[in-house]
Amino acid sequence: MLPLRDLLRRSSRSEGLLRRLLGRGFASSAPSLPPFDHQPRPYKGMLAEEVLQKRKKFLGPSLFYYYQKPLNIVEGKMQYLYDETGKRYLDAFAGIVTVSCGHCHPDVVNAVLEQTKLLQHTTTIYLHHAIVEFAEALASKMPGNLKVVYFVNSGTEANELAMLLARLYTGNLGMIALRNAYHGGSAGTIGLTALHTWKYPIPQGEIHHVMNPDPYRGAFGTDAAGYAREIQDHINYGTSGNVAGFIAETFQGVGGAVELAPGYLKLAYDIVRKSGGVCIADEVQSGFGRTGSHYWGFETQGVIPDIVTMAKGIGNGLPLGAVVTTPEIANVLSQKIQFNTFGGNPVCSAGGLAVLNVLDKEKRQAHCTNVGSHLIERLRNLQQKHDIIGDVRGRGLMLGVEFVTDRKEKTPAKAETAVLFEKLKDLGVLLGKGGLQGNVFRIKPPMCFTKEDADFLVDALDYAISGI
């Protein structure tokens, strides 16, 4: 997922194409955003150009931004965002799949404010009701014996802790992850991640990457058994024969909204457990009912992991993550002191519990099924109209649209995707990009996204594609 400026820099062909296509503009009758009853406050703060200059001066140069002219987003309400001019945008990426309930959902805001007025922080050296109430509610959402919670601050931290648990519990070192995976950017999780654009040249430890069971681009298509055999071969020939654990996203996020081949995790888990390892489900993006059909992504594969990691949607924007595991596995950390200063602090716990309550009260999982099935149907109809759409995939509100220049060869339409990305922004639609080549639109909006929003998104995409 490269910034547009890098795509432009990489080839003169892309640069010329981008300039020609962006210069064409739009035909008449552009679609309009659905009505929405909210008036943003007049913005009197720093404008985009000044923000950008200060960002370049004071923030790390590794930070990238979307769009040739980056947006200065100053307000949000439910599934919409507003820039400094008051222009409204449909947020179809939810702060990188983080805003689950909706921007500034009143129940979450009120829970955070009320707790902040009483007590912001103590750490777990003292007792407080918020963390145990939240842990109990979260554990009630888990299948099997997944009943012990460790709170952290992010998905990266959660995956670091899960890897530590796996190694301590099994006594083995080797971890298995999938190619095309993203599990974080810390010194430890960068090894689990398998996209070269996100990896620095540092030692990644005892980590092995096996073939990705990608139904669209994978060597075995939807044949889960073929990919599973490759795991066994890798253990036989690339390890001592024993491993610590296996980690996978059921729906790869950064990798381009790839849903694993049906039945893959059952086969993979069986192989890994026979080799002494534990199985970790990374639910950082796919959890909390976003897929519609199930509350957790791993449930779509009919498995129960040994460890589950989560973040993003758990807090609706709060810095919150969690690791949930069995009492037996959790107990291995008691041999030393394991502590997280901010994990499960009163404010984040109150906010996290409010998120769970909102998702239940507003029946967001069923809503994701309903709206998501409508959106997928419309996108697949659009695929029949435009050859540039190579694949439409996912379920619920965890979707991906992959663009290609040749459907037979599946050649990534990198430059064309960049053009569409800009045009959709101009039309009022904010999406994510993913895949190693940056040719996949990631459609993962707040879970209050409506059918009217879905229709507008598809109409805007149709309009933009027709313009190139």
Side-chain angles (χ1 to χ4, degrees):
M1 186 173 66
L2 294 174
L4 183 58
R5 65 180 185 275
D6 288 347
L7 279 173
L8 284 171
R9 193 180 295 127
R10 286 197 167 197
S11 77
S12 58
R13 174 187 174 276
S14 295
E15 183 174 1
L17 177 63
L18 214 53
R19 287 174 177 167
R20 289 196 303 275
L21 295 181
L22 283 171
R24 291 183 186 177
F26 295 113
S28 59
S29 304
S32 299
L33 279 163
F36 186 63
D37 185 19
H38 178 71
Q39 184 63 41
R41 296 179 183 179
Y43 178 69
K44 300 178 181 179
M46 197 182 298
L47 297 181
E49 186 57 37
E50 185 179 0
V51 173
L52 182 59
Q53 292 307 314
K54 288 182 181 294
R55 173 168 152 153
K56 289 179 177 178
K57 183 176 181 179
F58 297 112
L59 297 181
S62 63
L63 298 178
F64 65 88
Y65 51 81
Y66 276 173
Y67 308 116
Q68 291 179 312
K69 185 178 180 181
L71 294 175
N72 187 24
I73 298 297
V74 300
E75 189 172 336
K77 187 66 176 177
M78 301 309 285
Q79 68 270 41
Y80 294 105
L81 293 171
Y82 298 85
D83 70 12
E84 62 188 27
T85 70
K87 179 178 178 178
R88 177 164 58 105
Y89 298 87
L90 176 62
D91 181 9
F93 199 30
I96 314 184
V97 209
T98 297
V99 179
S100 48
C101 304
H103 292 282
C104 300
H105 191 290
D107 290 11
V108 180
V109 170
N110 289 339
V112 169
L113 284 176
E114 290 305 310
Q115 182 56 57
T116 302
K117 291 176 185 178
L118 290 172
L119 180 68
Q120 283 185 289
H121 182 70
T122 55
T123 79
T124 51
I125 61 174
Y126 305 116
L127 302 181
H128 193 272
H129 66 91
I131 188 171
V132 294
E133 289 172 348
F134 184 29
E136 182 178 27
L138 191 56
S140 74
K141 300 291 185 184
M142 307 303 299
N145 201 30
L146 294 165
K147 300 303 177 188
V148 179
V149 183
Y150 284 104
F151 286 114
V152 293
N153 307 292
S154 69
T156 292
E157 279 191 49
N159 287 329
E160 283 273 11
L161 183 56
M163 184 161 49
L164 177 63
L165 283 164
R167 285 171 166 166
L168 290 174
Y169 181 72
T170 64
N172 301 321
L173 290 178
M175 292 291 300
I176 297 176
L178 299 178
R179 298 170 195 169
N180 200 53
Y182 181 85
H183 296 291
S186 65
T189 58
I190 208 170
L192 298 174
T193 293
L195 293 155
H196 77 83
T197 45
W198 296 88
K199 293 172 74 73
Y200 293 98
I202 62 172
Q204 65 178 23
E206 288 287 328
I207 295 174
H208 310 267
H209 293 104
V210 296
M211 192 177 291
N212 187 38
D214 181 347
Y216 181 62
R217 290 189 174 274
F220 301 112
T222 60
D223 178 19
Y227 299 108
R229 284 193 295 271
E230 201 261 343
I231 297 177
Q232 187 63 68
D233 283 349
H234 197 89
I235 291 172
N236 290 344
Y237 295 101
T239 76
S240 66
N242 292 300
V243 297
F246 168 85
I247 186 170
E249 310 156 272
T250 317
F251 296 78
Q252 292 178 328
V254 174
V258 176
E259 181 175 0
L260 308 185
Y264 172 76
L265 285 185
K266 272 190 175 181
L267 299 172
Y269 280 20
D270 184 56
I271 291 168
V272 169
R273 285 168 175 157
K274 287 179 179 176
S275 301
V278 297
C279 299
I280 305 167
D282 181 334
E283 292 286 327
V284 169
Q285 294 194 25
S286 58
F288 302 97
R290 176 168 287 280
T291 63
S293 60
H294 297 80
Y295 200 83
W296 302 108
F298 62 79
E299 292 176 313
T300 66
Q301 294 263 334
V303 296
I304 298 179
D306 303 298
I307 304 171
V308 181
T309 62
M310 57 196 76
K312 291 187 179 285
I314 192 176
N316 201 54
L318 292 166
L320 181 59
V323 177
V324 186
T325 188
T326 65
E328 294 77 18
I329 294 175
N331 191 56
V332 299
L333 290 182
S334 63
Q335 60 188 278
K336 299 286 184 180
I337 296 174
Q338 198 282 329
F339 179 75
N340 190 301
T341 299
F342 299 106
N345 77 77
V347 172
C348 284
S349 291
L353 181 58
V355 168
L356 296 183
N357 290 337
V358 166
L359 296 178
D360 285 349
K361 180 178 72 173
E362 298 181 356
K363 297 180 171 57
R364 287 305 172 198
Q365 181 181 337
H367 182 80
C368 287
T369 297
N370 186 29
V371 177
S373 59
H374 173 75
L375 178 54
I376 292 168
E377 181 181 6
R378 288 222 52 199
L379 287 169
R380 287 183 174 153
N381 288 337
L382 193 65
Q383 183 182 15
Q384 301 307 310
K385 180 179 179 181
H386 298 293
D387 288 343
I388 194 172
I389 300 178
D391 193 32
V392 174
R393 53 182 178 252
R395 61 175 83 190
L397 292 179
M398 185 80 178
L399 306 179
V401 177
E402 181 160 353
F403 297 97
V404 296
T405 57
D406 184 309
R407 282 191 176 179
K408 182 180 179 181
E409 298 297 326
K410 302 178 182 177
T411 308
K414 294 185 287 186
E416 293 83 354
T417 305
V419 171
L420 292 173
F421 197 61
E422 292 283 342
K423 287 185 175 289
L424 283 165
K425 179 262 294 179
D426 293 339
L427 289 167
V429 180
L430 306 182
L431 297 158
K433 281 199 299 180
L436 189 62
Q437 304 299 329
N439 66 313
V440 180
F441 279 171
R442 299 166 65 189
I443 304 173
K444 302 163 185 183
M447 292 158 67
C448 52
F449 186 87
T450 67
K451 284 186 177 180
E452 291 74 23
D453 295 321
D455 286 335
F456 169 68
L457 187 156
V458 177
D459 290 344
L461 180 57
D462 183 21
Y463 186 77
I465 295 174
S466 298
I468 63 172

